[in-house]
Amino acid sequence: KNEVEQSPQNLTAQEGEFITINCSYSVGISALHWLQQHPGGGIVSLFMLSSGKKKHGRLIATINIQEKHSSLHITASHPRDSAVYICAVPHITQGGSEKLVFGKGTKLTVNP
Amino acid sequence: DTEVTQTPKHLVMGMTNKKSLKCEQHMGHRAMYWYKQKAKKPPELMFVYSYEKLSINESVPSRFSPECPNSSLLNLHLHALQPEDSALYLCASSQYPSGRYYEQYFGPGTRLTVT
């Protein structure tokens, strides 16, 4: 079982639709990162959250620490939202350092 | 300035070449990271530098050699690479080396092809 699981793996939507991407994790400390990567591009941090809900523009991220689950919502989706969305959780290594453990990503395609 | 820069953007090298990747940030961040990313896969952590000291090496082959000359600069020296090392190499930085409290800022990456 993967330590960080995302669903769905692929998602196609029509412009204007409401999008939800889910992330569940079995390891990690009580925080979670949502990242966005456009084709061929670098990665942008969208949210880092440890409780409740955060909103930035049309993006909303929620987290339930007890259930180890987070969702990323996109309202009024647009073709420019087409990207891979990755969730990641911090994890303490055996040596006591921290690193991020990544999900496999959700590829979102928004058609006009 | 919230930017992490990486040079070069693209690099093609032979298996006998020696080359270096460079990463720079001027945000005063004390943690810097190298990741390797293959197509359609999430990033894989290679190295973490914390306060200019190597704190994590994810069992990376010695043909990859990281260096942190100062708090703003991170290099990755490459020697005798294999074709399977072809990938996107991403650099990132964070204020401190804790993913619980600090987000990571990623550079645009260097697309490396080993021939």
Side-chain angles (χ1 to χ4, degrees):
Chain A
K1 184 179 189 298
N2 290 329
E3 297 172 322
V4 180
E5 290 198 348
Q6 289 186 233
S7 62
Q9 285 188 324
N10 293 282
L11 182 55
T12 301
Q14 288 300 121
E15 184 173 355
E17 285 185 5
F18 181 83
I19 304 290
T20 295
I21 299 170
N22 295 300
C23 179
S24 296
Y25 55 99
S26 58
V27 294
I29 314 160
S30 51
L32 185 139
H33 298 246
W34 280 105
L35 310 165
Q36 178 195 57
Q37 186 171 31
H38 281 101
I43 294 173
V44 174
S45 175
L46 298 175
F47 295 103
M48 184 186 67
L49 65 167
S50 56
S51 66
K53 178 177 168 177
K54 284 191 176 181
K55 185 175 189 289
H56 184 245
R58 295 179 295 104
L59 301 178
I60 302 166
T62 63
I63 190 168
N64 184 319
I65 293 295
Q66 286 73 30
E67 294 186 6
K68 296 195 171 184
H69 180 269
S70 176
S71 294
L72 176 68
H73 306 286
I74 305 175
T75 62
S77 59
H78 191 275
R80 65 175 174 267
D81 297 325
S82 299
V84 175
Y85 293 84
I86 305 169
C87 70
V89 295
H91 177 65
I92 295 182
T93 67
Q94 285 191 332
S97 300
E98 279 190 38
K99 67 175 189 179
L100 291 180
V101 178
F102 294 86
K104 292 185 175 180
T106 294
K107 184 178 179 182
L108 172 65
T109 303
V110 182
N111 294 316
Chain B
D1 180 9
T2 57
E3 192 180 21
V4 176
T5 60
Q6 288 187 245
T7 54
K9 288 187 178 179
H10 300 274
L11 178 62
V12 179
M13 61 185 289
M15 289 190 284
T16 58
N17 291 159
K18 284 186 182 181
K19 296 285 184 184
S20 297
L21 309 185
K22 180 180 171 181
C23 173
E24 203 160 1
Q25 56 87 14
H26 295 287
M27 295 177 276
H29 287 178
R30 305 317 301 268
M32 295 186 78
Y33 311 80
W34 279 117
Y35 291 93
K36 172 182 176 181
Q37 187 179 29
K38 300 284 267 185
K40 300 186 180 182
K41 299 286 187 184
E44 298 173 37
L45 182 65
M46 300 174 73
F47 302 104
V48 180
Y49 272 83
S50 173
Y51 296 87
E52 301 165 47
K53 288 186 168 37
L54 185 64
S55 61
I56 295 180
N57 176 344
E58 291 282 273
S59 302
V60 179
S62 60
R63 57 186 185 267
F64 295 92
S65 174
E67 178 196 21
C68 188
N70 59 58
S71 59
S72 300
L73 193 54
L74 187 66
N75 297 320
L76 186 63
H77 303 297
L78 314 172
H79 173 55
L81 294 193
Q82 303 295 312
E84 60 264 28
D85 296 322
S86 298
L88 180 67
Y89 288 83
L90 293 160
C91 173
S93 71
S94 62
Q95 189 171 359
Y96 296 107
S98 171
R100 282 175 286 175
Y101 306 111
Y102 304 102
E103 60 186 322
Q104 291 187 15
Y105 293 80
F106 287 81
T110 293
R111 177 78 57 191
L112 174 68
T113 303
V114 182
T115 60

